[in-house]
Amino acid sequence: MTKTLCRLLGALFLPALAACTQPDNSPQAAARLPGAPLDTMTDPATGQPVIRGPVLTGTAPRTPGKSSTASSIGEPASQSAEALNTATRGERAQAASAPTGGERRLGTTVASLGDPSQPGFWVRTPLVKSETAGRIVNPANGKSAKVRLIPLGGPAGGGSQVSLPALQLIGVSLTDLPTVEVFAG
């Protein structure tokens, strides 16, 4: 009797178990799957409805033979920092000359490379409210550069953007984030 009862329960249990493993083809289940079509979706930028379709994941296909690396963003890979530095020897000598006096120390700032395509000796910094002549000093080696101080929004403790020729003149690697002293006058 017990053996027969176990066989009967097993015969009833297996179909019930098989029914539990059947795929759920409901729309709610399809929406939970990655890449499944969405019922409704709007573009957050425009508020317009988006065409119903699969949710795409991964990366976009690339053009054969082209690649995008950190060295090729914004400039051809063949251009070096020296090629972008358009300052003449005379301009470099003038920028490196000793200060004439009457300077006022504005503070220190973390310097990063500004737009390398912009020529000249300049610093965009939140330490000034109007454009003025100034100087930056690298305290690590004492080298300085006369620059044009250009206002940059943000808190006074925020970082500054320095031109390529100015960074090279004060002996800073273009990938470093040194603290430099800023003077006006």
Side-chain angles (χ1 to χ4, degrees), residues 3 14-15 27 29 38 52 115 120 123 130 137 142 150 153 155 160-161 170 178:
K3 210 178 206 185
L14 285 176
L38 299 176
R52 181 185 164 106
D115 183 355
V123 176
S130 62
V137 177
I150 303 168
S160 299
Q161 301 170 3
I170 64 172

Side-chain angles (χ1 to χ4, degrees), residues 86-95:
T86 58
T88 65
R89 282 188 175 162
E91 290 170 328
R92 291 178 195 176
Q94 183 181 9

Side-chain angles (χ1 to χ4, degrees), residues 140-158:
N141 60 18
K143 293 182 178 182
S144 70
K146 289 182 182 177
V147 293
R148 192 89 192 132
L149 299 174
I150 303 168
L152 177 69

Side-chain angles (χ1 to χ4, degrees), residues 76-155:
S78 62
Q79 280 188 312
S80 66
E82 199 57 44
L84 287 170
N85 186 347
T86 58
T88 65
R89 282 188 175 162
E91 290 170 328
R92 291 178 195 176
Q94 183 181 9
S97 65
T100 57
E103 289 184 325
R104 175 173 56 97
R105 186 176 190 275
L106 300 177
T108 61
T109 186
V110 174
S112 66
L113 176 63
D115 183 355
S117 68
Q118 295 295 314
F121 293 84
W122 50 264
V123 176
R124 295 187 199 287
T125 180
L127 296 175
V128 296
K129 299 297 179 214
S130 62
E131 194 168 316
T132 186
R135 186 170 63 97
I136 56 171
V137 177
N138 181 355
N141 60 18
K143 293 182 178 182
S144 70
K146 289 182 182 177
V147 293
R148 192 89 192 132
L149 299 174
I150 303 168
L152 177 69

Side-chain angles (χ1 to χ4, degrees), residues 7 14 20 32 36 42 62 73 85 100 116 119 133 141 156 159 169 171 175:
R7 286 184 184 167
L14 285 176
C20 291
R32 291 188 301 262
T42 57
R62 303 281 183 226
I73 295 174
N85 186 347
T100 57
N141 60 18
L169 191 60
T175 58

Side-chain angles (χ1 to χ4, degrees), residues 17-69:
L17 183 62
C20 291
T21 61
Q22 294 295 320
D24 185 1
N25 294 330
S26 69
Q28 293 82 9
R32 291 188 301 262
L33 297 174
L38 299 176
D39 288 330
T40 59
M41 184 173 169
T42 57
D43 183 352
T46 63
Q48 299 296 318
V50 177
I51 298 171
R52 181 185 164 106
V55 176
L56 302 177
T57 59
T59 59
R62 303 281 183 226
T63 303
K66 294 203 175 193
S67 64
S68 176
T69 63

